[in-house]
């Protein structure tokens, strides 16, 4: 803080980077592309499934291939940025993301699309940490830094809503393929801006990459998610499914063992020794499991069952996004300095659980205004109460050398939770639907009723997992109100600002 008062960093920034605010536009554009790609394909998924003849069991890979690669490699991406330089990594990430998007847009079959989405996740894992690092090094004056992070956070927070709307417009008026093609001109513009406007110091040659750790961690997650996917056609007791689960658990145990011994670990285990921090990571993971599954089912319910157009489907999610923003900025941000985090986290998760429970009453003839909208508002408000305290508490009191890896771990928990949730809940939904239809072969309209039954069963499981998140937050996150703890309070205020 004392450096900020002298004005030296501000003067230095103005001399060395006079176009830094235009540079912020470039950085924010890249971050927006990464964030919205997690949801832009959701609205296009029913169209893509019909065009490429995907099965109901395999469709989840369009979402999970991206989130799994993104979350599993995010920590490694941060290390790569330190090794080869942030600007170089940023440009490589943009170029690779554009190429992967073009490949996905041109997909001729499900496998090609799944592979392209996984490649998008790989390059997003390079792009996201380098973008944040460039923002940090470009804006050194505390006042400018606050404004820059405000713009960055607003775009990142609204990316999901923008993705849903843009996905609907592109799918309805062009084709689902443009939900991927649209990244190519955005990335090209950002690459041009990066070469023109962004500056960075060379990489640090002494940084080592924990490749074994990345392979063990990502391999374990892929095995578990693949096991969830194969449980739908094969059954939960199938030898291949059980082998995948066992292999995934063993790989993750080996990952933890290696992190305790690696010279430069991806995830230093000492950051997990804090009860509050570990509780925040688990709370985020469980919460997002339920939320990502909802996006998938509600997209199909609105388009396939209620007959909504893609644009109308995207707009239908806007109230939930508004509720998330309201809960985060108008409630959590105002109360967190004065109340312990769990007094926000537990009510937030209970609100989200109640929203999901309301959706278990869906039928083929449910109305949006009477049954779906109240549920989305409750879920959005609950998640808004949760996200901000989780990020603030998880990064509070962290040593400067661990701030980057801690932030990346929270983001990884979010992406990994989304991967597991989408795969697990999709399998539950399709299995329940098949059993319902098989038990009522001659009933009129049984196909649609069976699909909706599958959704409600999966949403009930999502509600149970959300309740586990509330219990986790209540038992593990015991930090006091930030204003009553000097180190944590300072960190939380800096994180929020």
């Amino acid at each position: 803080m004392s450096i900020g008062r002298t004005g030296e960093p501000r003067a230095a920034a103005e001399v060395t980077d006079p176009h830094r605010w235009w540079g912020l536009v470039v950085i924010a554009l890249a971050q927006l592309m990464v964030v919205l790609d997690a949801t832009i394909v959701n609205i296009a998924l029913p169209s893509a499934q019909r065009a490429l003849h995907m099965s109901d069991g395999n469709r989840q890979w369009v979402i999970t291939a991206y989130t799994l690669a993104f979350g599993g490699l995010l920590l490694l991406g941060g290390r790569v940025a330190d090794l080869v330089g942030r600007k170089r990594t940023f440009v490589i990430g943009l170029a690779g993301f554009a190429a992967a998007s073009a490949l996905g847009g041109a997909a001729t079959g499900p496998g090609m699309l799944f592979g392209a989405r996984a490649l998008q996740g790989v390059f997003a894992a390079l792009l996201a940490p380098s973008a944040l690092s460039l923002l940090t090094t470009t804006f050194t004056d505390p006042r400018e830094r606050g404004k820059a992070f405000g713009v960055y956070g607003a775009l990142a927070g609204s990316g999901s809503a923008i993705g849903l709307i843009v996905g609907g417009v592109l799918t309805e008026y062009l084709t689902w393929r443009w939900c991927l093609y649209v990244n190519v001109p955005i990335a090209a513009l950002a690459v041009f801006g990066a070469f023109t406007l962004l500056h960075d110091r060379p990489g640090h040659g002494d940084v080592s990459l924990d490749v074994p750790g990345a392979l063990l961690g990502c391999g374990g997650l892929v095995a578990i998610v693949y096991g969830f996917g194969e449980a739908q056609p094969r059954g939960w007791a199938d030898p291949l499914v059980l082998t995948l689960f066992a292999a995934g658990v063993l790989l993750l145990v080996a990952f933890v063992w290696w992190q305790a011994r690696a010279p430069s670990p991806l995830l230093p285990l000492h950051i997990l020794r804090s009860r509050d921090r570990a509780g925040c990571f688990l709370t985020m993971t469980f919460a997002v499991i339920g939320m990502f599954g909802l996006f998938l089912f509600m997209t199909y319910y609105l388009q396939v069952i209620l007959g909504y157009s893609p644009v109308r489907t995207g707009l239908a999610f806007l109230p939930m996004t508004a509720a998330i923003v309201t809960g985060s900025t108008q409630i959590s941000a105002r109360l967190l300095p004065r109340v312990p985090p769990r007094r926000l986290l537990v009510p937030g998760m209970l609100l989200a659980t109640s929203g999901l429970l309301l959706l278990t009453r869906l039928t083929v003839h449910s109305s949006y205004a009477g049954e779906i909208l109240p549920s989305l508002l409750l879920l959005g408000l609950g998640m808004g109460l949760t996200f901000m305290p989780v990020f603030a508490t998880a990064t509070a009191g962290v040593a400067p050398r661990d701030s980057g890896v801690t932030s990346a771990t929270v983001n990884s928990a979010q992406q990994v939770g989304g991967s597991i949730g989408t795969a697990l809940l999709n399998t539950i939904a399709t299995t329940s639907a098949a059993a319902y239809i098989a038990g009522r072969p001659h009933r009129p309209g049984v196909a649609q009723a069976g699909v909706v039954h599958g959704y409600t069963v999966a949403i009930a499981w999502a509600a149970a997992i959300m309740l586990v998140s509330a219990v986790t937050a209540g038992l593990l996150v015991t930090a006091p109100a930030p204003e009553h703890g000097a180190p944590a309070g300072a960190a939380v205020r800096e994180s929020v600002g």
Side-chain angles (χ1 to χ4, degrees):
M1 288 295 183
S2 61
I3 296 175
R5 292 190 193 101
T6 65
E8 291 174 5
R10 183 183 181 95
E14 288 175 356
V15 171
T16 58
D17 195 2
H19 304 296
R20 60 195 176 281
W21 290 106
W22 284 108
L24 171 63
V25 173
V26 174
I27 295 169
L29 191 65
Q31 177 65 15
L32 177 63
M33 183 177 68
V34 169
V35 173
L36 67 82
D37 238 70
T39 56
I40 191 172
V41 177
N42 268 284
I43 303 299
L45 191 50
S47 300
Q49 182 178 0
R50 289 192 298 270
L52 300 181
H53 309 292
M54 296 179 215
S55 69
D56 286 344
N58 285 336
R59 68 189 177 194
Q60 52 92 9
W61 282 106
V62 177
I63 309 299
T64 56
Y66 178 77
T67 56
L68 193 58
F70 188 7
L73 296 175
L74 194 56
L75 292 168
L76 185 65
R79 294 285 190 183
V80 171
D82 290 336
L83 177 64
V84 305
R86 298 175 182 90
K87 178 178 174 179
R88 186 178 299 174
T89 307
F90 184 76
V91 171
I92 292 171
L94 283 169
F97 199 92
S101 299
L103 181 66
T108 56
M112 186 174 174
L113 180 58
F114 301 157
R117 289 286 286 167
L119 276 177
Q120 279 185 307
V122 170
F123 287 106
L126 289 177
L127 188 55
S130 59
L132 189 56
S133 297
L134 282 168
L135 185 65
T136 303
T137 56
T138 300
F139 293 90
T140 53
D141 179 88
R143 288 169 294 178
E144 288 192 347
R145 189 177 179 131
K147 294 177 183 177
F149 271 90
V151 173
Y152 182 86
L155 284 174
S158 60
S160 296
I162 295 172
L164 292 168
I165 297 170
V166 171
V169 171
L170 292 175
T171 302
E172 185 163 343
Y173 296 110
L174 293 173
T175 170
W176 66 268
R177 297 180 184 275
W178 274 96
C179 292
L180 294 161
Y181 285 145
V182 71
N183 292 318
V184 176
I186 295 175
L189 184 62
V191 167
F192 175 79
F195 279 122
T196 307
L197 300 167
L198 298 180
H199 306 281
D200 187 32
R201 293 183 296 273
H204 304 282
D206 57 342
V207 174
S208 59
L209 299 179
D210 183 15
V211 176
L215 293 175
L216 289 170
C218 215
L221 293 172
V222 169
I224 290 174
V225 171
Y226 188 46
F228 285 138
E230 287 299 306
Q232 189 270 327
R234 297 173 178 271
W236 292 97
D238 183 81
L240 175 62
V241 173
L242 295 177
T243 300
L244 286 168
F245 287 149
V249 171
L250 287 175
L251 285 170
L252 291 179
V253 169
F255 169 77
V256 174
W257 175 85
W258 173 249
Q259 294 308 286
R261 291 157 179 78
S264 182
L266 279 180
L267 179 59
L269 295 183
H270 65 263
I271 72 169
L272 299 178
R273 293 190 186 121
S274 163
R275 176 174 175 168
D276 294 313
R277 197 167 295 122
C280 285
F281 294 153
L282 288 174
T283 298
M284 175 63 82
T285 302
F286 289 134
V288 176
I289 284 176
M291 186 175 178
F292 266 62
L294 178 79
F295 274 135
L296 178 67
F297 301 135
M298 290 311 300
T299 296
Y300 273 86
Y301 180 81
L302 292 171
Q303 290 192 47
V304 177
I305 304 300
L306 297 188
Y308 280 26
S309 68
V311 170
R312 191 179 178 190
T313 301
L315 293 174
F317 283 105
L318 273 186
M320 185 178 75
T321 303
I324 291 175
V325 173
T326 301
S328 179
T329 62
Q330 301 304 312
I331 302 177
S332 288
R334 294 174 184 270
L335 292 180
L336 184 60
R338 297 189 293 274
V339 302
R342 67 175 169 184
R343 291 194 182 177
L344 294 171
L345 295 174
V346 174
M349 289 294 89
L350 292 178
L351 278 175
T353 302
S354 65
L356 289 172
L357 287 175
L358 284 178
L359 286 175
T360 61
R361 302 166 55 193
L362 284 178
T363 68
V364 175
H365 305 293
S366 293
S367 68
Y368 176 80
E371 294 165 86
I372 298 171
L373 179 59
S375 304
L376 294 180
L377 290 174
L378 284 171
L379 181 68
L381 188 60
M383 298 307 286
L385 286 173
T386 302
F387 283 150
M388 187 268 182
V390 162
F391 276 100
T393 306
T395 55
V398 177
R401 69 178 184 277
D402 293 327
S403 60
V405 70
T406 303
S407 299
T409 303
V410 180
N411 284 304
S412 294
Q414 193 173 0
Q415 299 298 331
V416 168
S419 304
I420 294 174
T422 302
L424 171 62
L425 297 176
N426 183 70
T427 293
I428 291 173
T430 51
T431 302
S432 301
Y436 183 93
I437 294 170
R440 301 163 179 79
H442 305 298
R443 180 177 295 182
V446 69
Q448 278 201 334
V451 168
V452 175
H453 172 76
Y455 294 163
T456 58
V457 171
I459 291 171
W461 277 90
I465 295 170
M466 199 74 81
L467 190 60
V468 171
S469 183
V471 173
T472 301
L475 294 178
L476 294 182
V477 183
T478 58
E483 67 181 11
H484 299 307
V492 169
R493 283 190 292 271
E494 183 178 349
S495 150
V496 175

